[in-house]
Structure formats: C-alpha cells, structure tokens
Amino acid sequence: YVITNASELQDMNADIDAAYTLGNDIDASSIANFDPVHNSTSGGTFDPFTGSFDGANHTISNLTIDRPTEKNVGLFGSTGSGAVIENVGVLNANITGNDQVGGLAGLLFGGEVTVSNSYATGNVTGDTSDVGGLVGEIFEGMVADSYATSSVHSSGDNTGGLVGYNAGG
C-alpha cells in the first residue's frame, strides 16, 4: 500500500501485516490523537505490527499521541517478529505514554525486528519506564543508521536519547 495522507497512515491499523510505503511527506496534524500502529485491547495485550514500512526518505510531521495511561506508544506502538521500519523521519512529534514510549516505536519485540535509516525529533514523555527518543524498549530487534534529537522526559527508569531500554537488541 502507498500512504499519501494522515488518514491512510492511521488506517494501517486495519492490516498490521502488510507492506507500506510513503508516497510523499505527510503532515499528521489533522489527527488530534493518533492511535499507535498495532492492535491493542483494553486488557493490555497487543498484536504487534509485523509488516514492513518504507518511508522512501519522506517525513511524517506534527504527529501527536496523548495516551498517558497506555504502554507501547509511538508511531508504531509495538512491532513483532519480521517487522521492518526504514527510511523515515518523524518531525516535531509530541508523544506521551506511560511505559515503552518512543518517537518512532514504543516496543521492538519478537526477534528480527529492524529499524534502519530513520530518525525522530520533537518531545517524548513517559511516566513509568522505557522511554526513548526513537524507541522506548528493544526486547529483541535492531536499530541501525538511525538517530533522535527529541527531548525525552520520564519520571521512571530507563530513559535514553535514542533507546530507553535495550533488553536484548
């Protein structure tokens, strides 16, 4: 699927196993409170994003996520085995969550998850732990050729400029 606007970006939750490519830069300010890409339930369980996302060197700007009581918060809330996120910049984001909060991804989980050639700027805030400018927690996965210049705030443990907590990546 080719993503060309903020609404289509939000609609990725309908098929978390698909292959996506950005067709142009996207201003996400039209979505007041973006729902992170993954299927989650009120019981705290989740089905992680396991597809591929190629930003094609485009950016997503003005992304706002305000979910202070939730975990796995970021453009991609959680990712699972085989997921690939590459070639994308997240600009001027304002992301707030509880635990496992990142500018690009809240949680890389399940092995063989790859984030590459990507970056994030803006503000990332978490309350409990595992808060990072790009990725909140890497449980299993890899980040390569990526960076973050986000302002990162947390009142808990495991806070970092790039990754909040690397548990096995």
Side-chain angles (χ1 to χ4, degrees), residues 74-110:
L75 173 62
F76 293 88
S78 59
T79 61
S81 186
V84 175
I85 302 167
E86 60 188 355
N87 307 317
V88 65
V90 178
L91 300 175
N92 193 36
N94 274 308
I95 298 175
T96 301
N98 184 3
D99 182 25
Q100 298 165 325
V101 183
L104 181 63
L107 174 65
L108 304 184
F109 179 81

CSV table of all heavy atoms in Angstrom, one decimal, residues 74-110:
chain,number,residue,atom,x,y,z
A,74,GLY,N,4.0,5.1,20.4
A,74,GLY,CA,4.9,5.7,19.4
A,74,GLY,C,4.1,5.6,18.0
A,74,GLY,O,3.0,5.1,18.0
A,75,LEU,N,4.7,6.1,17.0
A,75,LEU,CA,4.1,5.9,15.7
A,75,LEU,C,3.7,4.4,15.5
A,75,LEU,O,2.6,4.1,15.2
A,75,LEU,CB,5.0,6.4,14.5
A,75,LEU,CG,4.5,6.1,13.1
A,75,LEU,CD1,3.2,6.8,12.8
A,75,LEU,CD2,5.6,6.4,12.1
A,76,PHE,N,4.7,3.6,15.8
A,76,PHE,CA,4.4,2.1,15.9
A,76,PHE,C,4.4,1.8,17.4
A,76,PHE,O,5.4,1.9,18.0
A,76,PHE,CB,5.5,1.3,15.1
A,76,PHE,CG,5.4,1.5,13.7
A,76,PHE,CD1,6.1,2.6,13.1
A,76,PHE,CD2,4.7,0.7,12.8
A,76,PHE,CE1,6.1,2.8,11.7
A,76,PHE,CE2,4.6,0.9,11.5
A,76,PHE,CZ,5.3,2.0,10.9
A,77,GLY,N,3.3,1.4,17.9
A,77,GLY,CA,3.2,1.1,19.3
A,77,GLY,C,4.0,-0.1,19.7
A,77,GLY,O,4.8,-0.1,20.6
A,78,SER,N,3.9,-1.2,19.0
A,78,SER,CA,4.7,-2.4,19.2
A,78,SER,C,4.9,-3.1,17.8
A,78,SER,O,4.1,-3.0,16.9
A,78,SER,CB,4.0,-3.3,20.2
A,78,SER,OG,2.7,-3.7,19.7
A,79,THR,N,6.1,-3.7,17.7
A,79,THR,CA,6.4,-4.4,16.5
A,79,THR,C,6.8,-5.8,16.9
A,79,THR,O,7.3,-6.1,17.9
A,79,THR,CB,7.6,-3.8,15.8
A,79,THR,OG1,8.7,-3.8,16.6
A,79,THR,CG2,7.3,-2.3,15.3
A,80,GLY,N,6.5,-6.8,15.9
A,80,GLY,CA,6.8,-8.2,16.2
A,80,GLY,C,7.7,-8.7,15.2
A,80,GLY,O,8.2,-8.1,14.3
A,81,SER,N,8.0,-10.0,15.3
A,81,SER,CA,8.9,-10.7,14.5
A,81,SER,C,8.8,-10.4,13.0
A,81,SER,O,7.7,-10.6,12.4
A,81,SER,CB,8.8,-12.2,14.8
A,81,SER,OG,9.8,-12.9,14.1
A,82,GLY,N,9.9,-10.1,12.4
A,82,GLY,CA,9.9,-9.8,11.0
A,82,GLY,C,9.6,-8.4,10.5
A,82,GLY,O,9.7,-8.1,9.4
A,83,ALA,N,9.2,-7.6,11.5
A,83,ALA,CA,8.8,-6.2,11.1
A,83,ALA,C,10.0,-5.4,10.6
A,83,ALA,O,11.1,-5.6,11.2
A,83,ALA,CB,8.2,-5.5,12.3
A,84,VAL,N,9.8,-4.6,9.6
A,84,VAL,CA,10.9,-3.7,9.1
A,84,VAL,C,10.4,-2.3,9.0
A,84,VAL,O,9.3,-2.1,8.4
A,84,VAL,CB,11.4,-4.2,7.7
A,84,VAL,CG1,12.4,-3.2,7.2
A,84,VAL,CG2,12.0,-5.6,7.8
A,85,ILE,N,11.1,-1.3,9.6
A,85,ILE,CA,10.7,0.1,9.5
A,85,ILE,C,12.0,0.8,9.0
A,85,ILE,O,13.0,0.7,9.7
A,85,ILE,CB,10.3,0.6,10.9
A,85,ILE,CG1,9.1,-0.1,11.4
A,85,ILE,CG2,10.0,2.1,10.7
A,85,ILE,CD1,8.7,0.2,12.8
A,86,GLU,N,11.9,1.5,7.9
A,86,GLU,CA,13.1,2.1,7.4
A,86,GLU,C,12.8,3.3,6.6
A,86,GLU,O,11.7,3.6,6.1
A,86,GLU,CB,13.8,1.0,6.4
A,86,GLU,CG,13.0,0.6,5.3
A,86,GLU,CD,13.6,-0.5,4.5
A,86,GLU,OE1,14.7,-1.0,4.8
A,86,GLU,OE2,12.9,-1.0,3.5
A,87,ASN,N,13.9,4.2,6.5
A,87,ASN,CA,13.9,5.3,5.6
A,87,ASN,C,12.8,6.4,5.9
A,87,ASN,O,12.2,6.9,5.0
A,87,ASN,CB,13.8,4.9,4.1
A,87,ASN,CG,14.8,3.9,3.8
A,87,ASN,OD1,16.0,4.0,4.1
A,87,ASN,ND2,14.4,2.8,3.1
A,88,VAL,N,12.6,6.6,7.2
A,88,VAL,CA,11.6,7.6,7.6
A,88,VAL,C,12.0,8.5,8.7
A,88,VAL,O,12.8,8.2,9.5
A,88,VAL,CB,10.3,6.9,8.0
A,88,VAL,CG1,10.4,6.1,9.3
A,88,VAL,CG2,9.1,7.8,8.1
A,89,GLY,N,11.6,9.8,8.6
A,89,GLY,CA,11.8,10.8,9.6
A,89,GLY,C,10.5,11.2,10.3
A,89,GLY,O,9.5,11.4,9.5
A,90,VAL,N,10.5,11.2,11.6
A,90,VAL,CA,9.3,11.7,12.3
A,90,VAL,C,9.7,13.1,12.9
A,90,VAL,O,10.6,13.2,13.7
A,90,VAL,CB,8.9,10.7,13.4
A,90,VAL,CG1,7.7,11.3,14.2
A,90,VAL,CG2,8.5,9.4,12.9
A,91,LEU,N,9.1,14.1,12.4
A,91,LEU,CA,9.5,15.5,12.7
A,91,LEU,C,8.5,16.2,13.6
A,91,LEU,O,7.3,16.1,13.4
A,91,LEU,CB,9.6,16.4,11.4
A,91,LEU,CG,10.6,15.9,10.4
A,91,LEU,CD1,10.4,16.8,9.1
A,91,LEU,CD2,12.0,16.0,10.9
A,92,ASN,N,9.0,16.9,14.6
A,92,ASN,CA,8.2,17.7,15.5
A,92,ASN,C,7.0,16.9,16.2
A,92,ASN,O,5.9,17.4,16.2
A,92,ASN,CB,7.6,18.9,14.7
A,92,ASN,CG,7.0,20.0,15.7
A,92,ASN,OD1,7.6,20.2,16.7
A,92,ASN,ND2,6.0,20.6,15.2
A,93,ALA,N,7.4,15.7,16.6
A,93,ALA,CA,6.3,14.9,17.3
A,93,ALA,C,6.1,15.3,18.7
A,93,ALA,O,7.0,15.8,19.4
A,93,ALA,CB,6.8,13.4,17.3
A,94,ASN,N,4.9,15.1,19.2
A,94,ASN,CA,4.6,15.3,20.6
A,94,ASN,C,3.9,14.0,21.1
A,94,ASN,O,2.8,13.7,20.8
A,94,ASN,CB,3.6,16.4,20.9
A,94,ASN,CG,4.4,17.7,21.0
A,94,ASN,OD1,5.3,17.8,21.8
A,94,ASN,ND2,4.0,18.7,20.2
A,95,ILE,N,4.7,13.1,21.8
A,95,ILE,CA,4.2,11.8,22.1
A,95,ILE,C,4.3,11.6,23.6
A,95,ILE,O,5.3,11.8,24.2
A,95,ILE,CB,5.1,10.7,21.4
A,95,ILE,CG1,4.9,10.9,19.9
A,95,ILE,CG2,4.7,9.3,21.8
A,95,ILE,CD1,5.8,10.0,19.0
A,96,THR,N,3.2,11.2,24.2
A,96,THR,CA,3.0,11.0,25.6
A,96,THR,C,2.4,9.6,25.9
A,96,THR,O,1.4,9.3,25.3
A,96,THR,CB,2.2,12.0,26.3
A,96,THR,OG1,2.8,13.3,26.1
A,96,THR,CG2,2.1,11.8,27.8
A,97,GLY,N,3.1,8.8,26.7
A,97,GLY,CA,2.6,7.5,27.1
A,97,GLY,C,3.0,7.2,28.5
A,97,GLY,O,3.6,8.0,29.2
A,98,ASN,N,2.8,5.9,28.9
A,98,ASN,CA,3.1,5.5,30.3
A,98,ASN,C,4.4,4.8,30.3
A,98,ASN,O,5.4,5.2,30.9
A,98,ASN,CB,2.0,4.7,30.9
A,98,ASN,CG,2.2,4.3,32.3
A,98,ASN,OD1,3.2,4.7,32.9
A,98,ASN,ND2,1.3,3.5,32.9
A,99,ASP,N,4.5,3.7,29.6
A,99,ASP,CA,5.6,2.8,29.6
A,99,ASP,C,5.9,2.3,28.2
A,99,ASP,O,5.0,2.1,27.4
A,99,ASP,CB,5.3,1.6,30.5
A,99,ASP,CG,6.4,0.5,30.6
A,99,ASP,OD1,7.6,0.9,30.5
A,99,ASP,OD2,6.1,-0.6,30.9
A,100,GLN,N,7.2,2.1,27.8
A,100,GLN,CA,7.6,1.8,26.5
A,100,GLN,C,7.1,2.8,25.5
A,100,GLN,O,6.2,2.5,24.6
A,100,GLN,CB,7.1,0.4,26.1
A,100,GLN,CG,7.7,-0.7,27.1
A,100,GLN,CD,7.0,-2.0,27.0
A,100,GLN,OE1,5.8,-2.1,26.9
A,100,GLN,NE2,7.8,-3.1,27.2
A,101,VAL,N,7.7,4.0,25.5
A,101,VAL,CA,7.3,5.1,24.7
A,101,VAL,C,8.5,5.6,23.9
A,101,VAL,O,9.6,5.8,24.4
A,101,VAL,CB,6.8,6.3,25.6
A,101,VAL,CG1,6.3,7.5,24.8
A,101,VAL,CG2,5.7,5.8,26.6
A,102,GLY,N,8.3,5.8,22.6
A,102,GLY,CA,9.3,6.2,21.7
A,102,GLY,C,8.8,7.1,20.6
A,102,GLY,O,7.6,7.0,20.2
A,103,GLY,N,9.7,7.9,20.0
A,103,GLY,CA,9.3,8.8,18.9
A,103,GLY,C,8.9,8.0,17.6
A,103,GLY,O,8.0,8.5,16.9
A,104,LEU,N,9.5,6.9,17.4
A,104,LEU,CA,9.1,6.1,16.2
A,104,LEU,C,8.4,4.8,16.7
A,104,LEU,O,7.4,4.4,16.1
A,104,LEU,CB,10.4,5.7,15.5
A,104,LEU,CG,10.2,4.9,14.2
A,104,LEU,CD1,9.4,5.6,13.2
A,104,LEU,CD2,11.5,4.5,13.6
A,105,ALA,N,8.9,4.1,17.7
A,105,ALA,CA,8.3,2.9,18.1
A,105,ALA,C,8.4,2.8,19.7
A,105,ALA,O,9.4,3.1,20.3
A,105,ALA,CB,9.0,1.7,17.5
A,106,GLY,N,7.3,2.3,20.3
A,106,GLY,CA,7.3,2.0,21.7
A,106,GLY,C,8.1,0.8,22.1
A,106,GLY,O,8.9,0.8,23.0
A,107,LEU,N,7.9,-0.3,21.3
A,107,LEU,CA,8.5,-1.6,21.7
A,107,LEU,C,8.8,-2.4,20.4
A,107,LEU,O,8.0,-2.6,19.6
A,107,LEU,CB,7.5,-2.4,22.5
A,107,LEU,CG,7.9,-3.9,22.8
A,107,LEU,CD1,9.1,-3.9,23.8
A,107,LEU,CD2,6.7,-4.6,23.5
A,108,LEU,N,10.1,-2.8,20.3
A,108,LEU,CA,10.6,-3.7,19.3
A,108,LEU,C,10.6,-5.1,20.0
A,108,LEU,O,11.4,-5.3,21.0
A,108,LEU,CB,12.0,-3.4,18.8
A,108,LEU,CG,12.2,-2.0,18.2
A,108,LEU,CD1,13.6,-1.9,17.6
A,108,LEU,CD2,11.1,-1.7,17.1
A,109,PHE,N,9.8,-6.0,19.6
A,109,PHE,CA,9.6,-7.3,20.3
A,109,PHE,C,9.5,-8.5,19.3
A,109,PHE,O,8.8,-8.3,18.3
A,109,PHE,CB,8.3,-7.2,21.1
A,109,PHE,CG,8.0,-8.4,21.9
A,109,PHE,CD1,8.7,-8.7,23.1
A,109,PHE,CD2,7.1,-9.4,21.5
A,109,PHE,CE1,8.4,-9.8,23.9
A,109,PHE,CE2,6.8,-10.5,22.2
A,109,PHE,CZ,7.5,-10.7,23.4
A,110,GLY,N,10.1,-9.6,19.6
A,110,GLY,CA,9.8,-10.8,18.9
A,110,GLY,C,10.9,-11.2,17.9
A,110,GLY,O,10.7,-12.2,17.2
